[in-house]
Every structure is written in structure tokens, then in C-alpha cells.
Amino acid sequence: MNRIKAPALSAAFFLFLTGILCYFSGRSFRTMHRSETVFPSVGLTDTHQLSDYFPPLKNTHGDTEVYIFRGMEKGGNLLVLGGTHPNEPAGLMTAVLLIENIRGKRGNVIIVPRANSSGFTHSDPQEGNPQRFEVPTPAGPRLFRLGSRLTNPVDQWPDPAIYINPAGQKLSGNEVRNLNRCYPGRANGFLTERIAFAIMELIRRERVDIGIDLHESAPEYPVINAIVFHENSSELAALALLELQAEGFDIRLEASPVNLRGLSHREWGDHAGIKAILLETPNASHGRLKGKPSSSLIVDGKDKFYAKASRLGWLFVPYGEEGIPLSLRVARHLAALKALLGGLAELEPEKAVEFEGMPLPSEVQKKGVGAFLHPPT
Amino acid sequence: MLRIFYHLIVLYLSFHLLWHLFRQKKPWSQAGAALVLTLFLLRLFLIK
């Protein structure tokens, strides 16, 4: 009798432990679906969901917030996309910084901070990435999600062996979950294709004139510290380059390859006829040569392995011991945005977009991103 | 429909693990079964 009872008791104990483990891991898992609150500035005029432009996206993890700042004066329409790749934090942070600070003056500014919201609900497997990164503000730290480059497989699965995207490009199977390979999207396609389609609908219905897609890339990747432009925006990109170089930002121009289809800088220009630009800054946290992934690697950008790789000449950007912090990466995006809008006003004055309240890139670089964010609640 | 089948399979395997847990006499074997059961329960309730 005692021989039977003892294992049953210990089994009940292990079952209890199972319950505790499930509770804590389940709670942690659920927090991945919680988006951080964004505190828009007083200049915000409209808030929409992406599903307002494409209703089948409603009640899916592909739906996301769209913030619009309308100016009093007539001008052009600017679209800023952050979070196309949720493992590239400078895109999200630049979009959040704009939402929390700007006031429209001329034309309209449309900002989508989490373009692939499904990608924010999971992390890249086997990378050991932190679930969130911490941005210090004067009133305490604010936490932001670090997601995956791809749509969550819980929302879109399985991947095909070979993916032929809506523009006809043949790609490896998992690219079916990469938003920046799915343009111009399909109304009845995979979730990621439907998100891309919804963004194209937003561009069409809001009569966007210029679209800027904010990205980051690993320091060993050749397209870095770059403005990637559609051929309809070559003059604009060249003007922005001159201004950025005059301000001390080392940046290069990359023409969007005509035969590389499905990307924002190609399909926005080809299918929607807008000026299409993609910006890249260097981010060690999603590179292959990095050390231990952590929140400070994302925010401070210090990594001794990248510093060594830079000394050995393996990188496409100089990477010193001081690292490339998030503040510098966001400042680069802001400076490029300012330069592009300056160029647009010069080339097509009737489509000029102006807004107030954007922190100066030099100030962001000096004081950090958190100095310009709403305090945490 | 596919989702219901999937959940039924995971539910069946979870019950099997539970049965296995109470049949084991060695604590280490029970701990092993409990750990695998955790993964199955998380899959059952949190992942479609």
C-alpha cells in the first residue's frame, strides 16, 4: 500500500510543479502579444487601424495602428513605416519618436509604427534575443518589444518550399512571411501578403506622394547607412545625400534593383507611382558576428566582436569600441527624413510636407532617444 | 477542422503523459514526464 502511495504523492507534486511552470511560462508568452502604449502628441488628428483600409484584416494579428497628422496648409502626403522588420528597433523608435513629438503644418504625415504587427508577437528562435529592450527616459525606463523579421508562424503557417511573391519573384519559402518581399500584396493571399495589400490600399486612399520605409541592417551587410531609392526618386535621393553629407552623416545611395521584386522601394514606386525610399542604419543586434544578445546591445550598440571585425576590415561600416547606439541610428533616420523632405520641397513645392516639433538629430544623438519620449506610466 | 484534429491529438498525448506520470515509480522519471507534459499543455492552450 505504502509502495503505491509514495509515487502517487510525488506524481501529484510534479503535476503541481507542471501547473506552476505552465502559469509562469504562459504569462510570459502572453505578454509578447501586448503592444506598448504610444503617447501621441497634441498634433495627432486621426487614428485608424490598417483594417480601415482593408477590412479583411480586422481581428487578425496583421491589423495595426495608423497615426495621421494633418497640417493646416495644403501640401503633399508622407507615409513613414516603422516595424516592417520588428527586429530592427531604430525603425520602430523613429516612428514612435515622431508620433510623440510632431505637429502637422503643411500636408499630411501618416505613420505606421508597427507595420508587421504579427512579427512583434514572437522572437527569432535560437537567437537568445531579449523579449524587450529598455530605453531610458528622464522619468524612468520605457520598454519596447523586439520581435522577429518574419510574421509569427502561429498566424501564418506552413511556409511553402519556394515562394513566388505577388510581383512574380521566386524566393526561398520563409520569405512568404517577410513583409518587405510581399508587395504589392494579394487581397486573398497569405496574412503577410494581405498586410502588404492593406498598405498599398492606404497609399492609394490617402494619396501618398512619398513613402519612407525605416530599416536596419547588420554591419557585415553591404546595403548599410544607405538610402535605397526607386528610380523615380533618384534626384530626390541625390539632394538628400548632399544635405546629409554636409551635416556630417556618412551615407550612400543604392538604386533599387529593377529585377528584385516585392520590396517596398520597388513596388511602391512601380504599382502606386509614389516616391519610394528605404533607409538602412547599422544594427549589431541582428548581425551574425555579435556577442551575447541583450537590451544594452540594442540600445548602446557596444559589441567587442563587431569592433574586432571592423579592425579586421570585415564590415561595411566603421564599428569602434564605442559602438553604434540606438540614439545615433534614430538620429540618422531623422536626419535622412528631414533631408528628403527638404529635397521634395525644392523639387516639387506643391507636394511639400512640413511639421513642427521633430527633435533635431544632433539633439537625439546627444541626449538619447528617451529624452524625447513621453514618460512611462 | 484541421485545428480541432490537431488539438485532439495534443490532448490525447497530454492525457497519455499524465497517465505515464502516475505510473512511474522513480522521481526522476516522474520529473521527466512532468517536463514534457508542461510543453504539451503550453502547446494545447497557447499555440493553435
Side-chain angles (χ1 to χ4, degrees):
Chain A
M1 184 70 180
N2 281 343
R3 274 208 304 252
I4 299 165
K5 200 178 171 184
L9 268 178
S10 58
F13 170 71
F14 280 118
L15 190 61
F16 174 70
L17 281 186
T18 301
I20 301 234
L21 263 177
C22 282
Y23 173 74
F24 283 106
S25 349
R27 202 169 71 158
S28 165
F29 183 84
R30 298 285 294 181
T31 59
M32 293 200 290
H33 286 260
R34 211 176 295 148
S35 304
E36 305 80 20
T37 313
V38 177
F39 305 93
S41 78
V42 289
L44 181 77
T45 45
D46 303 347
T47 313
H48 290 284
Q49 289 290 307
L50 194 56
S51 58
D52 294 343
Y53 300 92
F54 182 56
L57 217 53
K58 204 172 179 65
N59 298 323
T60 70
H61 287 142
D63 203 1
T64 189
E65 318 88 32
V66 178
Y67 298 87
I68 304 183
F69 298 79
R70 299 196 191 278
M72 298 294 280
E73 296 168 42
K74 207 177 162 196
N77 297 317
L78 161 73
L79 170 68
V80 178
L81 226 60
T84 293
H85 291 149
N87 62 339
E88 298 169 11
L92 166 73
M93 292 316 301
T94 306
V96 171
L97 201 70
L98 289 171
I99 292 166
E100 298 197 356
N101 288 281
I102 65 165
R103 295 176 303 278
K105 193 177 164 196
R106 185 172 182 193
N108 303 315
V109 184
I110 303 150
I111 306 173
V112 185
R114 286 178 274 251
N116 185 355
S117 61
S118 168
F120 279 94
T121 64
H122 72 136
S123 304
D124 285 321
Q126 301 182 343
E127 290 288 332
N129 282 333
Q131 288 204 6
R132 289 185 159 77
F133 58 95
E134 201 176 280
V135 179
T137 77
R142 267 180 74 178
L143 292 170
F144 292 91
R145 268 287 299 163
L146 178 73
S148 164
R149 181 180 174 84
L150 306 174
T151 298
N152 194 332
V154 168
D155 297 322
Q156 184 183 315
W157 182 86
D159 297 340
I162 293 169
Y163 172 50
I164 300 172
N165 74 11
Q169 182 93 47
K170 210 180 272 185
L171 298 161
S172 68
N174 66 351
E175 296 286 24
V176 70
R177 290 184 286 122
N178 181 350
L179 177 58
N180 205 26
R181 298 294 181 278
C182 289
Y183 290 107
R186 286 187 179 109
N188 55 356
F190 295 105
L191 177 69
T192 317
E193 292 176 336
R194 281 183 276 144
I195 299 170
F197 186 83
I199 291 168
M200 295 303 286
E201 280 297 289
L202 182 154
I203 289 171
R204 186 180 63 80
R205 283 176 49 185
E206 294 290 345
R207 296 179 183 180
V208 169
D209 297 300
I210 172 169
I212 299 176
D213 194 7
L214 304 173
H215 285 254
E216 294 202 273
S217 51
E220 67 271 26
Y221 185 66
V223 182
I224 195 160
N225 272 353
I227 298 176
V228 188
F229 61 94
H230 188 274
E231 59 270 16
N232 69 11
S233 315
S234 48
E235 212 175 335
L236 176 65
L239 278 175
L241 174 88
L242 290 176
E243 192 179 327
L244 284 166
Q245 285 186 336
E247 283 184 24
F249 287 105
D250 182 27
I251 198 141
R252 66 188 82 168
L253 292 185
E254 299 277 349
S256 169
V258 181
N259 54 357
L260 180 57
R261 308 303 305 267
L263 290 91
S264 56
H265 50 76
R266 168 57 37 206
E267 308 305 334
W268 288 359
D270 281 4
H271 287 263
I274 68 167
K275 293 192 182 302
I277 302 280
L278 184 146
L279 301 175
E280 296 276 13
T281 59
N283 172 22
S285 76
H286 77 283
R288 292 296 88 199
L289 309 177
K290 67 178 182 284
K292 185 184 170 189
S294 65
S295 172
S296 74
L297 176 61
I298 294 164
V299 177
D300 303 329
K302 287 181 189 164
D303 187 276
K304 63 180 178 183
F305 300 104
Y306 269 110
K308 187 174 180 184
S310 180
R311 285 196 300 275
L312 293 168
W314 292 353
L315 306 180
F316 288 90
V317 281
Y319 209 104
E321 297 288 341
E322 69 287 357
I324 302 182
L326 184 65
S327 53
L328 173 58
R329 282 136 55 200
V330 170
R332 290 191 77 96
H333 276 333
L334 291 175
L337 175 67
K338 188 167 153 269
L340 286 162
L341 291 182
L344 182 69
E346 206 174 312
L347 293 171
E348 297 181 47
E350 73 286 356
K351 289 182 182 170
V353 179
E354 288 174 31
F355 46 82
E356 295 167 333
M358 185 180 97
L360 288 173
S362 56
E363 290 286 294
V364 172
Q365 209 176 323
K366 203 167 115 192
K367 295 180 182 169
V369 178
F372 301 94
L373 291 178
H374 191 282
T377 52
Chain B
M1 185 56 90
L2 204 63
R3 200 169 156 177
I4 294 169
F5 273 119
Y6 178 76
H7 273 122
L8 284 174
I9 291 167
V10 179
L11 187 67
Y12 167 75
L13 292 171
S14 303
F15 273 121
H16 206 73
L17 277 164
L18 192 65
W19 182 67
H20 183 75
L21 171 67
F22 278 90
R23 275 193 69 208
Q24 292 301 313
K25 291 195 172 85
K26 291 178 187 165
W28 278 117
S29 306
Q30 289 180 330
L35 274 176
V36 181
L37 181 63
T38 306
L39 301 177
F40 273 76
L41 290 177
L42 287 171
R43 186 154 278 273
L44 186 65
F45 292 114
L46 292 174
I47 303 175
K48 76 175 182 185

